Amino acid sequence: MAIAKLLTEEGRNLDKNAVLQEYPRPQFYRDSYINLNGEWDYAIRKRGEILRGYDGKILVPFSPETILSGVGDVVLQPDETLYYKRTFTLPEGFVKGCTLLHFGAVDYACEVKVNGKRIGSHKNGYLPFYFDISEALVEGENLLEVAVTDPTETGCQARGKQIRKASGIWYTPTSGIWQTVWIESLPLLHLEKVRLTPIFEEDAVKVEYESSDDAPISITLYKGSASLSANYYNESFGEEILTADMENGGVIHVPDAIHWTPENPHLYIIKIKMGEDEVVSYFGIRKFSVGFDKKGVSRLMLNDKPCFHKGVLDQGYWSDGLYTACSDSLLIKDIAVMKDMGFNMLRKHIKIEPMRWYFHCDRMGMLVWQDMVSGGDKPYSPLPIMVYPALGVAFCNKRLGNIDDGPKNYKLFRRASQEGREEYYEDMYGTMAQLINVVSLAMWVPFNEGWGQFDSLKAAAMVRAYDPTRLIDHASGWHDKGGPDVNSFHIYFTRYKFPKLNKEDNRPIALTEFGGYSYAVKGHTWDEERIFGYRVYKTAEKLEAMYKKLFDTKIIPQVETGLSAIVYTQVSDVEMEINGLMTFDRSEIKIPVQTVKALNDQLVIED
């Protein structure tokens, strides 16, 4: 197998002593930050084997499976443990009332020690977590140790498209630390969480918070801008609009409010102070809903106006870092290129990104559809789950009983494990809590193509109860149970038809995966011998012509009759899957930007 060592330009120029130094939590910024990314000691041993020494250096936060980690061609096995070790010294005056050690994400289960003292453990490969390490710290040098295990596809946990033997649409796994590790220190009395909910009808924002102790807060609101910089918290916040004191949260009304849209992504800056603790955040005033256009066609709405969601499937993989983009500029580049092409939405596909990615979508004006990360007892669906939907809604419902609820179909949909089902709900709530303040996040997607799908109407109801401000695609693509909020289709090989589930079905039509047109750019292909694409073309000219034909004949004409959202597959190539608008290393754009933009500009709903 001729696998190329594809490096992004940023990867080729990476400074090992300054890896991903940006503040990792833009919506909850504090002026206390020590970054622990860089070279750590690592070792991989069979589980239970005594650790006697380390194997070498690993560049955190890149997983051992990546080029940039420096480890080599290693895939962590389910019966192995990945060990990390490094030392750190906190500068004089840094420690306040308590000191927190943060991990952006570790896949999958880990145990953490500081100076030999166990400080905690965590399970979930995608969500951030932290430990209070105050009692374990010593003066001078401190020792940090992390032990990680990852069952990959042998478990029932959330894992997305990770599989130990990559093939087709299944990709090399990411094990261990894959997001920034960092430390902050703060007063004993401090904010723990803030929830900022825009109230569009009132031009207001609802402020809720949790803290280490009951205490009032003071708020200062600033005008902000529609061109917030990548490091806004070190720059001017704009005009001060108002100040307010709150004891248990409350509602702030914004005078002469500017509404957030992809075309004008205006963000307000808010400073929240509790005692000596101060946090800087931001919010946008906007509303997501379903309504009707002037012709009475059901549509997705933004700020009570029809808004066609022109989207791209975004897997969030990079050639040299896999799950981890090696620079903030790479996150920005993906969003910027898609926006230049005329897209206004990215569907984040069964992965959760670092918070800086969502921040860039907020400030650059890119709508987000967020998938819950898929999991289950096996990494793929059995043939009936994959084939029946292609034969029509009626046939599928007849054979499967139009139900994914209850034990009848748990095994069929790879959700036989009760532990896995319970963990799904934990992850679902964790995902929503983590991303609840993301301004650009318009849609939650609980399930994709029947992968581990179960009790989907119940899951949709749980999502709606937790977050009534966003839309839901309860079952993207295959096994539609009539849930909120869109009639969702995946079409790669069949006709572009969008039948209703029943006569009462008046949900907006969303083509949530399609296209996948493919072209292998010589010198920028991950595997030179094996490629995968839904329709493979031999030249860039043919790819462009067929892409244009697809939109001209199949997509654009259907907008008038009800098509309200599209998700083209996909932003970039991923390993042997070559259907990206860009190559895996992000060095080549396959279809001219202006060609794509001219087509997207025709996807307009008359107001």
Side-chain angles (χ1 to χ4, degrees):
M1 183 168 60
I3 295 178
K5 298 295 185 181
L6 286 179
L7 287 165
T8 61
E9 180 181 355
E10 291 79 359
R12 286 192 296 271
N13 299 315
L14 184 65
D15 181 356
K16 292 183 179 181
N17 298 313
V19 179
L20 294 171
Q21 297 295 296
E22 293 83 5
Y23 190 78
R25 198 176 54 190
Q27 276 193 312
F28 203 76
Y29 173 80
R30 280 194 182 97
D31 191 16
S32 176
Y33 178 48
I34 292 178
N35 186 297
L36 296 183
N37 292 340
E39 287 193 325
W40 295 35
D41 295 318
Y42 89 96
I44 296 176
R45 299 288 183 270
K46 290 292 184 182
R47 199 176 301 187
E49 181 181 345
I50 297 174
L51 178 63
R52 295 184 176 94
Y54 284 75
D55 298 337
K57 298 292 184 180
I58 184 170
L59 189 60
V60 170
F62 302 107
S63 74
E65 292 88 357
T66 66
I67 301 169
L68 292 177
S69 70
V71 173
D73 296 327
V74 171
V75 174
L76 187 70
Q77 298 300 311
D79 62 348
E80 295 176 332
T81 299
L82 169 60
Y83 295 95
Y84 295 87
K85 181 184 74 170
R86 69 155 292 162
T87 59
F88 64 90
T89 301
L90 300 178
E92 185 177 349
F94 179 81
V95 175
K96 300 175 184 176
C98 62
T99 302
L100 306 181
L101 171 64
H102 292 265
F103 292 85
V106 178
D107 197 354
Y108 158 71
C110 71
E111 183 175 287
V112 181
K113 295 180 181 179
V114 174
N115 296 320
K117 180 178 180 180
R118 184 183 183 277
I119 61 167
S121 61
H122 183 263
K123 288 198 307 182
N124 176 285
Y126 296 86
L127 295 174
F129 59 97
Y130 66 87
F131 302 109
D132 187 336
I133 61 172
S134 305
E135 298 300 319
L137 292 173
V138 298
E139 290 188 13
E141 189 174 78
N142 290 267
L143 174 65
L144 171 58
E145 297 170 284
V146 182
V148 181
T149 57
D150 185 4
T152 314
E153 81 276 9
T154 67
C156 58
Q157 82 289 350
R159 59 183 174 271
K161 289 191 171 184
Q162 300 183 72
I163 194 168
R164 286 172 297 159
K165 293 184 179 180
S167 177
I169 65 168
W170 305 100
Y171 314 136
T172 302
T174 290
S175 300
I177 299 170
W178 66 273
Q179 288 188 32
T180 291
V181 185
W182 58 289
I183 294 175
E184 68 175 345
S185 195
L186 46 148
L188 289 175
L189 176 62
H190 59 266
L191 289 157
E192 294 178 342
K193 295 180 182 178
V194 173
R195 182 167 177 172
L196 302 171
T197 306
I199 307 173
F200 177 78
E201 291 79 5
E202 300 180 24
D203 282 342
V205 62
K206 182 180 180 181
V207 180
E208 301 169 277
Y209 65 91
E210 296 177 19
S211 62
S212 58
D213 198 357
D214 292 333
I217 59 173
S218 62
I219 287 175
T220 306
L221 180 64
Y222 300 88
K223 188 173 183 179
S225 74
S227 57
L228 216 60
S229 76
N231 295 297
Y232 77 94
Y233 31 78
N234 294 324
E235 300 172 6
S236 172
F237 296 162
E239 174 190 354
E240 182 180 314
I241 296 176
L242 58 84
T243 60
D245 295 325
M246 296 180 176
E247 290 193 5
N248 297 297
V251 174
I252 299 175
H253 293 269
V254 181
D256 303 317
I258 301 170
H259 298 149
W260 186 96
T261 66
E263 298 75 25
N264 185 42
H266 189 96
L267 298 173
Y268 289 92
I269 311 300
I270 185 169
K271 185 184 292 183
I272 307 171
K273 190 169 184 179
M274 173 181 283
E276 296 180 356
D277 186 28
E278 186 174 89
V279 168
V280 177
S281 189
Y282 65 84
F283 65 90
I285 297 177
R286 50 85 181 113
K287 176 186 177 183
F288 301 116
S289 60
V290 171
F292 296 94
D293 64 17
K294 66 179 183 180
K295 295 181 180 180
V297 178
S298 183
R299 301 292 189 182
L300 302 178
M301 313 291 279
L302 174 61
N303 302 338
D304 289 333
K305 297 179 180 179
C307 175
F308 194 99
H309 287 217
K310 312 169 190 182
V312 195
L313 195 71
D314 187 351
Q315 313 253 21
Y317 279 78
W318 287 267
S319 61
D320 46 14
L322 296 181
Y323 262 12
T324 310
C326 69
S327 76
D328 205 45
S329 62
L330 272 174
L331 298 178
I332 295 170
K333 180 178 181 178
D334 276 9
I335 301 166
V337 171
M338 295 304 109
K339 196 168 176 69
D340 288 345
M341 286 182 166
F343 295 104
N344 64 6
M345 180 264 283
L346 293 172
R347 178 184 167 199
K348 183 50 62 176
H349 192 37
I350 52 178
K351 182 197 176 192
I352 302 169
E353 292 289 356
M355 290 308 297
R356 290 198 65 84
W357 183 84
Y358 299 95
F359 164 55
H360 294 315
C361 288
D362 289 347
R363 69 183 188 85
M364 296 169 70
M366 182 63 80
L367 296 167
V368 174
W369 289 20
Q370 178 64 54
D371 290 11
M372 302 300 173
V373 184
S374 60
D377 307 324
K378 291 186 179 180
Y380 48 83
S381 301
L383 279 176
I385 300 301
M386 295 188 288
V387 173
Y388 287 178
L391 300 178
V393 174
F395 179 86
C396 179
N397 290 344
K398 180 179 180 181
R399 296 304 299 267
L400 296 180
N402 193 22
I403 186 171
D404 67 354
D405 298 333
K408 177 181 178 181
N409 282 332
Y410 283 169
K411 185 176 181 180
L412 183 61
F413 281 79
R414 307 305 199 197
R415 281 292 185 182
S417 166
Q418 181 177 347
E419 177 186 359
R421 297 194 300 272
E422 292 173 353
E423 189 168 336
Y424 171 84
Y425 289 131
E426 293 176 9
D427 294 344
M428 182 183 77
Y429 280 116
T431 300
M432 291 191 292
Q434 174 67 10
L435 304 180
I436 196 66
N437 289 334
V438 174
V439 179
S440 53
L441 204 162
M443 183 91 69
W444 296 112
V445 184
F447 296 106
N448 173 73
E449 291 187 346
W451 298 358
Q453 181 176 332
F454 73 103
D455 298 348
S456 55
L457 295 179
K458 175 183 175 181
M462 295 165 75
V463 171
R464 177 66 24 98
Y466 185 89
D467 179 15
T469 72
R470 292 182 173 90
L471 303 171
I472 301 170
D473 180 4
H474 78 293
S476 184
W478 287 1
H479 297 279
D480 182 9
K481 304 304 170 185
D485 281 303
V486 294
N487 193 3
S488 177
F489 297 87
H490 291 184
I491 298 175
Y492 289 107
F493 303 109
T494 56
R495 297 174 64 188
Y496 285 83
K497 297 183 68 176
F498 308 109
K500 291 185 176 183
L501 190 65
N502 52 58
K503 292 182 179 180
E504 289 72 40
D505 186 0
N506 202 24
R507 297 168 297 169
I509 297 169
L511 180 56
T512 50
E513 283 187 36
F514 77 107
Y517 285 10
S518 306
Y519 168 59
V521 180
K522 188 175 181 180
H524 300 278
T525 304
W526 183 76
D527 189 327
E528 298 173 356
E529 298 177 0
R530 294 190 300 166
I531 59 173
F532 170 84
Y534 295 103
R535 296 174 188 264
V536 180
Y537 301 102
K538 293 184 178 181
T539 67
E541 292 76 15
K542 185 67 172 178
L543 173 69
E544 180 183 0
M546 297 309 294
Y547 183 93
K548 188 174 186 300
K549 181 180 179 181
L550 172 64
F551 274 75
D552 282 338
T553 63
K554 305 297 183 184
I555 305 304
I556 295 170
Q558 303 221 42
V559 175
E560 186 177 357
T561 59
L563 183 61
S564 298
I566 61 168
V567 180
Y568 181 81
T569 302
Q570 60 186 338
V571 169
S572 76
D573 296 349
V574 182
E575 298 194 335
M576 66 183 66
E577 187 177 355
I578 58 164
N579 49 22
L581 292 167
M582 294 187 289
T583 55
F584 197 16
D585 58 5
R586 307 308 199 269
S587 67
E588 301 291 328
I589 296 173
K590 298 185 187 180
I591 303 176
V593 169
Q594 288 305 314
T595 297
V596 180
K597 185 177 187 303
L599 295 167
N600 278 330
D601 286 349
Q602 298 178 61
L603 300 172
V604 178
I605 301 169
E606 292 185 23
D607 188 5

